[in-house]
Each structure stands twice: as C-alpha cells, then as structure tokens.
Amino acid sequence: MAANERLRTALVRAGLNYAQFAEAVGVDPKTAERWVSTGRSPHRTTAYKAARVLREDMAYLWPSLEKGRRRRGLHPELIALHDTRADAPFDLWRGLFTKARERIEVLVYAGVFLHEQWPNCNDLLREKAAAGCRVRILLGDPDAPAVSERGEEEKYGHGIETRCRVALMHYSPLIGMPGVEVHQHSTTLYNSIYRGDDHMLVNAHVFGMNAYGAPVWHLRRETEGGVFDRYAESFEAVWALSRQAIKE
C-alpha cells in the first residue's frame, strides 16, 4: 500500500511526532507510524479522534473510509460540505487563520461573526503579518448599491449596511500595519471567501437568505486551475476593483 502523504503532511503542520500523535489518539506509536508508511486506515472511531487531534477532516486524511457514504465522483478538492455556515464549527475559521503561513484572505460584505466569536482575531492577524504572512481583507462598501440591494433581497433592510460599517470598525486598528491590507469593494457578492494558504472556506450565497443560512464548502488546493483556483481568481478580480479602506 502507498504511504499516506496527507497524514504525513498533517503531522508536520501540527508539529507532532509519531509518539506524541499516538499518545493523543490513544494508540501504539508503531500503529500511528504504519498509518503513514503503509497507508493503513484505522477504525472509523479512531480516525475521527485522530482527525480532531490534527484539526483536519477525517475524509481528507482517509478517503477510503468515506466510500459508500459519499456519492461517486466527489471532487478531490472538496474536503467537506456544511449545510449552513451556522452548522460549521467555528474552529474551521480559527484553524484556517492559525495555520496560515503565507497568506490570509477574506472576501465578505461584513463577516462580523469572526470578531463576535473570536475577540482575539485582530491579535492573530497582527502576529501573522509580523511573521511574513500577507493579510488581505475585502469588506463591502456600505454606500454601494449592491450592498443595499442585498439587504432588500434578504429582507434585512439597512442592517447589512450597518454591519459593513461595524466590520470596518473591527478591522480599522489594522489599517496601515505592515503586511495587512484592508480594502472596500462595491461588487455583487456571489460567495464569501475565507482563505488560509491552500485551504479555503466558501460561503455560497443563496438568493433571499442571510449568509449564516447558506452552505459552506471547505476546499483544499490539489491541482493547478482547479475549483480552488477559480475562487482564488475571483478574489483577485474583486481586489482589482477595490479601494483602500480609510481608518474610522
């Protein structure tokens, strides 16, 4: 059997050796090593525990365990699909940014749930930028017609414009910091995008529904020009049309 390179990479990212990983999961170190070297799969319950330790998706580490549980033809870059943003564990976003080393990117109208559920979000972004990670934040312009139209479609009134202003207040302390760029855009937002290196969470918007009730795709870049890259290109397209935010 081929080695499990996904598991090997996850161990490196987590900074764990076989002994530490095995202890956390509750198995023998040789067993954990065989999971990598021979590609052997653990029992499902053990796999879930191991995935939690590594803060990864079990289906990504051991795709064979999901055979028969997921439809055939599932795209290789899709790690998980969450029915709604509200159903997705917040650790997905926390882990996305915490593990990032090269880039953190956010494309939203407001996305204030990040700061509401994670008061230390700005502190983490400062640390990442200081360590050389490029941080780019795209927020909606509260005066843009597309933003007010979204509020009407979602029967949210002027609430969305207010949330755009609140989002800018949250990120305002980061404006002007080296390595951090905060911009505003006036485009129609088809998807909210949250990227940390080669991982991405895409909140796919649904007409007439607030973002928290729409699905979230968890993607991991596997091939050049794939689905991940298409969303990354859309981020760049909006970035090109945006303007630098002014500190509140």
Side-chain angles (χ1 to χ4, degrees):
M1 298 177 68
N4 189 332
E5 296 300 334
R6 292 184 175 185
L7 180 56
R8 190 194 308 277
T9 299
L11 283 168
V12 173
R13 286 170 60 88
L16 298 175
N17 58 35
Y18 290 127
Q20 294 167 329
F21 177 50
E23 182 179 1
V25 178
V27 298
D28 186 88
K30 291 184 178 180
T31 297
E33 185 176 357
R34 282 195 293 270
W35 291 344
V36 174
S37 61
T38 68
R40 184 175 300 178
S41 299
H43 292 293
R44 179 173 293 274
T45 54
T46 305
Y48 270 121
K49 186 174 182 180
R52 285 198 300 270
V53 169
L54 297 173
R55 301 181 74 174
E56 293 280 0
D57 188 87
M58 186 202 75
Y60 175 77
L61 296 176
W62 292 286
S64 62
L65 294 179
E66 289 297 277
K67 286 183 178 179
R69 291 178 176 259
R70 295 189 177 188
R71 65 178 178 82
R72 291 184 179 181
L74 194 63
H75 196 280
E77 291 189 311
L78 178 63
I79 293 178
L81 169 61
H82 302 274
D83 290 345
T84 70
R85 193 188 74 193
D87 289 330
F90 188 72
D91 273 350
L92 280 177
W93 281 269
R94 197 193 310 272
L96 189 77
F97 298 152
T98 301
K99 294 178 181 178
R101 297 182 179 180
E102 297 180 1
R103 67 172 68 196
I104 291 174
E105 295 171 347
V106 175
L107 168 60
V108 292
Y109 271 157
V112 294
F113 76 98
L114 287 174
H115 286 87
E116 290 173 345
Q117 297 188 53
W118 190 9
N120 296 327
C121 181
N122 277 2
D123 293 335
L124 186 278
L125 295 179
R126 286 191 190 94
E127 292 173 6
K128 289 297 180 179
C133 182
R134 186 185 186 189
V135 178
R136 292 194 290 173
I137 310 296
L138 272 169
L139 305 175
D141 181 344
D143 297 320
V147 172
S148 59
E149 288 173 8
R150 178 60 58 86
E152 293 174 6
E153 293 166 358
E154 296 179 359
K155 298 178 175 60
Y156 204 56
H158 296 290
I160 189 166
E161 289 106 306
T162 299
R163 291 177 76 80
C164 286
R165 298 185 194 280
V166 171
L168 181 57
M169 288 176 61
H170 282 309
Y171 288 105
S172 191
L174 301 177
I175 294 176
M177 287 193 58
V180 179
E181 299 167 89
V182 181
H183 282 205
Q184 290 179 297
H185 69 97
S186 57
T187 65
T188 299
L189 191 65
Y190 297 100
N191 302 279
S192 293
I193 296 175
Y194 309 84
R195 178 178 181 177
D197 291 345
D198 288 341
H199 280 263
M200 181 184 290
L201 298 174
V202 178
N203 191 185
H205 294 296
V206 177
F207 183 84
M209 180 181 292
N210 192 278
Y212 66 77
V216 170
W217 307 83
H218 183 179
L219 304 175
R220 182 165 183 167
R221 189 175 191 272
E222 291 292 331
T223 58
E224 184 175 351
V227 173
F228 184 103
D229 282 355
R230 292 179 197 173
Y231 283 111
E233 289 167 5
S234 72
F235 178 95
E236 295 297 341
V238 177
W239 185 264
L241 297 172
S242 67
R243 60 178 176 82
Q244 186 172 352
I246 300 175
K247 185 175 293 190
E248 289 285 302

